[in-house]
Amino acid sequence: MAKDRKPDDSRSARGGSSASRSGTKTSARPTGKGRTRPPTQVVTQPRRPWGLIIAAVVVVLFGVGAITYATVQVHKSNADRVTSPDQISGIKTYDYAAGQQHVSTPVTYTESPPVGGPHDPYWADCTGTVYSVDIRHENAVHALEHGAVWIAYNPDEVSQADIDKLSALVDGQSGRLMSPYAGLDSPISVQSWNHQLKLDSASDKRIKQFADLMTFNSEVKGHYPEIGASCENPDFKANPIVVGQDSSAVGSSDMATTPTATSAP
């Protein structure tokens, strides 16, 4: 009679153990060496436009400098400005009345250069005219009667650089004329009707003060007689009559206001 076989428990056990080994996963403890840190977010700062900033600063500084310079120049100009002949040191005043006679003969003037008195019927152009010749004095006095300022200089005592400096005050300035004056007792003399200032240097600020104050100024004491009269005489400008020449009908003329005198006082 056959015996019943018992199952081989050892095999089952080995098989089960094997199955357990093959079917069950063992979790490994984390060691820390394999961790991955999240990426650090780097915030990038925007780059400053240094070029534009520097350019803006330069523009601002330039503007401030320009304004400062202009302000200084205005203050300087105002500091030299005068409002009365009494504020100009050395100026002399005279008393030639309106209505001086028109004459075509030479006049012996008391002052040299003259500042008033009888004069030629034809005035010297005084529209900012710089003459290179010693113009006839009788024609120049007529320009003074119309409100002009006349700058005369001794050609033997004034350099070309000084002549250029004086010309800058006259050239193109209506109501002014300039000419050499032979035998002048000072290097420079500036005159308007009834006013005169003699100077030694073309750099003297009083020349500009006189010219700025007296040109067409009808408010000062002893001002020029013919307010509103023209300074234009282009024919005389083109063909000026010089000292030593006879009176000649050159360009514009006008009637004497009131002929009350025949010679300078």
Side-chain angles (χ1 to χ4, degrees):
M1 174 180 268
K3 295 183 180 180
D4 295 332
R5 292 183 179 179
K6 295 182 179 180
D8 190 344
D9 296 336
S10 61
R11 289 183 179 180
S12 300
R14 285 196 300 269
S17 176
S18 176
S20 176
R21 283 196 302 267
S22 60
T24 305
K25 292 183 179 180
T26 303
S27 298
R29 293 184 180 180
T31 61
K33 293 182 180 180
R35 289 184 180 180
T36 303
R37 294 184 179 182
T40 302
Q41 293 184 354
V42 178
V43 179
T44 303
Q45 296 293 333
R47 298 182 64 183
R48 294 184 180 180
W50 289 112
L52 292 177
I53 293 173
I54 292 173
V57 171
V58 170
V59 170
V60 170
L61 291 177
F62 178 81
V64 171
I67 293 172
T68 302
Y69 176 79
T71 302
V72 170
Q73 294 303 310
V74 169
H75 288 168
K76 182 179 179 181
S77 177
N78 290 336
D80 292 338
R81 185 173 176 268
V82 296
T83 57
S84 168
D86 297 337
Q87 296 173 318
I88 303 176
S89 174
I91 196 170
K92 292 184 178 181
T93 59
Y94 302 89
D95 192 23
Y96 288 94
Q100 297 294 323
Q101 187 176 5
H102 284 183
V103 296
S104 58
T105 56
V107 178
T108 301
Y109 292 104
T110 302
E111 292 77 36
S112 182
V115 296
H119 47 269
D120 196 271
Y122 298 88
W123 64 86
D125 184 273
C126 47
T127 57
T129 310
V130 177
Y131 295 97
S132 61
V133 294
D134 190 351
I135 60 174
R136 195 165 179 269
H137 303 161
E138 292 82 1
N139 299 88
V141 172
H142 197 160
L144 300 185
E145 187 183 46
H146 287 195
V149 166
W150 176 23
I151 297 180
Y153 63 90
N154 188 330
D156 296 329
E157 298 185 23
V158 175
S159 67
Q160 184 59 51
D162 288 337
I163 293 174
D164 293 341
K165 186 173 293 186
L166 295 172
S167 297
L169 294 175
V170 175
D171 191 20
Q173 296 291 322
S174 182
R176 298 180 187 178
L177 68 159
M178 172 178 160
S179 69
Y181 193 102
L184 184 62
D185 60 359
S186 65
I188 302 164
S189 182
V190 190
Q191 36 279 319
S192 63
W193 187 270
N194 277 336
H195 301 85
Q196 188 171 72
L197 178 66
K198 294 191 175 183
L199 311 105
D200 296 326
S201 171
S203 299
D204 195 316
K205 68 180 181 181
R206 291 177 296 168
I207 300 174
K208 186 176 187 304
Q209 289 176 331
F210 186 107
D212 288 346
L213 176 66
M214 302 306 298
T215 301
F216 292 139
N217 191 339
S218 61
E219 297 181 0
V220 298
K221 182 180 179 180
H223 63 75
Y224 66 102
E226 296 187 3
I227 298 171
S230 175
C231 251
E232 295 182 4
N233 191 351
D235 290 342
F236 190 97
K237 182 177 181 179
N239 300 286
I241 304 173
V242 301
V243 170
Q245 291 181 335
D246 293 334
S247 174
S248 178
V250 180
S252 303
S253 176
D254 57 13
M255 297 295 294
T257 308
T258 305
T260 58
T262 57
S263 62

